[in-house]
Amino acid sequence: MATLRLHSILCKTTEDSTGADEPYLLVGNRQVWGSQSMNDNEREDLTLVANIPFNSSIRLSLYDQDAGWFDNDDFLGSWVIWSGEAGKGMREARFNGDGADYTITYEVLP
């Protein structure tokens, strides 16, 4: 069994062309974090998210929440983390769907 520890999220480029994104992160199928607003070149701390134990792999999925009636939340990408990454230090997951550019820094603990 391994444990996922999230460190930070960096928004290099928002998905919304009209302003800030409202990103949220799913680990597996459970939302573990969400922001009211992120703009270009902003970073947020994720160390307050509880560590997440997992077996062989776990999927991160990043979305931008949309409030429109006919506009579903935008899928910004997913990243699979493997238990074999345990003990290899800080790692980065990139999400660049729908014109966005985000990086999540994480670590897999044994």
Side-chain angles (χ1 to χ4, degrees), residues 74-86:
D74 299 305
F75 177 64
L76 305 182
S78 67
W79 190 272
V80 176
I81 295 173
W82 300 94
S83 59
E85 296 177 58

Side-chain angles (χ1 to χ4, degrees), residues 70-108:
F70 302 106
D71 190 10
N72 293 329
D73 291 355
D74 299 305
F75 177 64
L76 305 182
S78 67
W79 190 272
V80 176
I81 295 173
W82 300 94
S83 59
E85 296 177 58
K88 295 186 178 176
M90 302 288 264
R91 317 279 284 180
E92 291 186 343
R94 296 287 306 271
F95 303 87
N96 54 16
D98 216 10
D101 189 0
Y102 282 83
T103 301
I104 292 178
T105 303
Y106 68 92
E107 182 176 13
V108 179

Side-chain angles (χ1 to χ4, degrees), residues 39-64:
N39 282 297
D40 291 355
N41 300 310
E42 287 187 346
R43 180 183 304 270
E44 289 205 19
D45 183 17
L46 297 179
T47 58
L48 295 180
V49 174
N51 289 352
I52 302 159
F54 67 99
N55 287 319
S56 61
S57 67
I58 195 162
R59 180 178 300 276
L60 304 181
S61 300
L62 188 64
Y63 290 85
D64 174 36

